[in-house]
Amino acid sequence: QESESVGSKRNIKGTIKIDNDNYITICDCPGPSAGTEEPTCDPSQYHVHQDHFGAGLGIADVKTLIGKPIELEHVNITMAHFGCMDGRSTRPTLGTPGGDAGEFILALVVYEDMLMGHQLDQNSVNFYLSEYLKSITRPSFYMCTDDAAIDHLQRDLGLEGLDIRSPPERMLTRISEAVTSYDNVGCMHLRMLLKYPAMYSIRPDIPKMFLKAFYSILWDKQNTLRDKLLLEILPRAHNESAFIELRSTGLCKQQRIAPLVPTSRSGMSSFVNHIDAVS
């Protein structure tokens, strides 16, 4: 018996004896296909575990809210923004407290702790946010506010019909200060950071400086980085009746794939936190 390799195939030649007759055999054994793909995250089921029982949503309700696995869009978390875990969001989301804004503020807090007593200033925060926006490959950096906060901001400023994404240039200095007041912040997580900084062990100037940096880029029509900023304005009323934490396993976790999950459906609403995706 002999064998030989030809191109990407392995040709094996030999003989076989049947009823005293010898036959020449040739086995053409192709190697692995060059187009063979590695396994990918494609979940067919999920498990719901209820930690606390009460008047909120039950397991059946949560399954209805999330929907079937086949209905969920799965995304690479490095290429998608994190939204507020708020139940008022109008689109399926990767949820985390404060969205991208909350994560960036957390990074500033951790970094300042590493500076051994040195405190960040506004110019530093402006610089770090700009450099981060330049570095990311995903299309957007997310922050949310809501109608109630904008209404309160207008009353503070004595304005009507304020477009928070593009306010009057003559008002920018006043508005830049006013948006750092917790009553004028529609993101529940950022408002809590500003209102109760000691509870979060945070210096209150850090979220204030971030808000000024975010809006200064958003309002600068000559700054191309403004195109990466996504400010979602949520409707006024909260109606959440559950807190859902999503965890991934297996290939999905290894490949950093997570589902975009609706926070409201069929009159039901929930906070949604992708605890594994953001860690």
Side-chain angles (χ1 to χ4, degrees), residues 45-82:
Q45 61 180 335
Y46 56 79
H47 301 281
V48 179
H49 172 75
Q50 189 167 354
D51 285 337
H52 303 285
F53 295 84
L57 302 183
I59 289 179
D61 296 321
V62 170
K63 288 183 176 180
T64 299
L65 176 62
I66 295 176
K68 299 177 181 178
I70 196 172
E71 298 172 343
L72 300 177
E73 179 184 358
H74 288 75
V75 296
N76 186 314
I77 62 173
T78 64
M79 298 302 294
H81 71 259
F82 281 91

Side-chain angles (χ1 to χ4, degrees), residues 94-114:
L94 292 175
T96 187
D100 289 328
E103 293 301 311
F104 191 83
I105 290 171
L106 177 60
L108 291 175
V109 172
V110 172
Y111 179 60
E112 186 175 82
D113 285 344
M114 297 169 59

Side-chain angles (χ1 to χ4, degrees), residues 8-171:
S8 62
K9 299 181 179 180
R10 184 171 178 82
N11 299 324
I12 303 176
K13 299 179 180 179
T15 59
I16 185 171
K17 189 174 184 179
I18 302 176
D19 294 333
N20 294 321
D21 291 325
N22 292 323
Y23 296 87
I24 297 175
T25 59
I26 301 176
C27 178
D28 185 6
C29 306
S33 170
T36 301
E37 297 182 356
E38 295 182 357
T40 58
C41 166
D42 187 19
S44 59
Q45 61 180 335
Y46 56 79
H47 301 281
V48 179
H49 172 75
Q50 189 167 354
D51 285 337
H52 303 285
F53 295 84
L57 302 183
I59 289 179
D61 296 321
V62 170
K63 288 183 176 180
T64 299
L65 176 62
I66 295 176
K68 299 177 181 178
I70 196 172
E71 298 172 343
L72 300 177
E73 179 184 358
H74 288 75
V75 296
N76 186 314
I77 62 173
T78 64
M79 298 302 294
H81 71 259
F82 281 91
C84 291
M85 62 182 189
D86 202 299
R88 299 172 296 170
S89 181
T90 58
R91 67 192 79 181
T93 186
L94 292 175
T96 187
D100 289 328
E103 293 301 311
F104 191 83
I105 290 171
L106 177 60
L108 291 175
V109 172
V110 172
Y111 179 60
E112 186 175 82
D113 285 344
M114 297 169 59
L115 297 179
M116 305 297 290
H118 177 72
Q119 293 185 341
L120 296 172
D121 59 18
Q122 187 65 60
N123 287 336
S124 298
V125 175
N126 293 349
F127 173 78
Y128 293 136
L129 180 58
S130 293
E131 291 302 302
Y132 179 71
L133 293 175
K134 292 175 185 176
S135 72
I136 59 176
T137 54
R138 52 195 172 90
S140 56
F141 178 96
Y142 176 100
M143 186 174 77
C144 70
T145 187
D146 66 12
D147 290 334
I150 294 175
D151 287 348
H152 194 280
L153 175 63
Q154 291 184 119
R155 290 195 299 272
D156 273 0
L157 297 170
L159 294 175
E160 291 183 358
L162 175 66
D163 181 357
I164 191 61
R165 297 187 179 97
S166 183
E169 189 170 344
R170 60 183 173 82
M171 298 287 295

Side-chain angles (χ1 to χ4, degrees), residues 165-181:
R165 297 187 179 97
S166 183
E169 189 170 344
R170 60 183 173 82
M171 298 287 295
L172 292 185
T173 301
R174 285 186 63 199
I175 298 174
S176 180
E177 289 295 331
V179 293
T180 66
S181 171

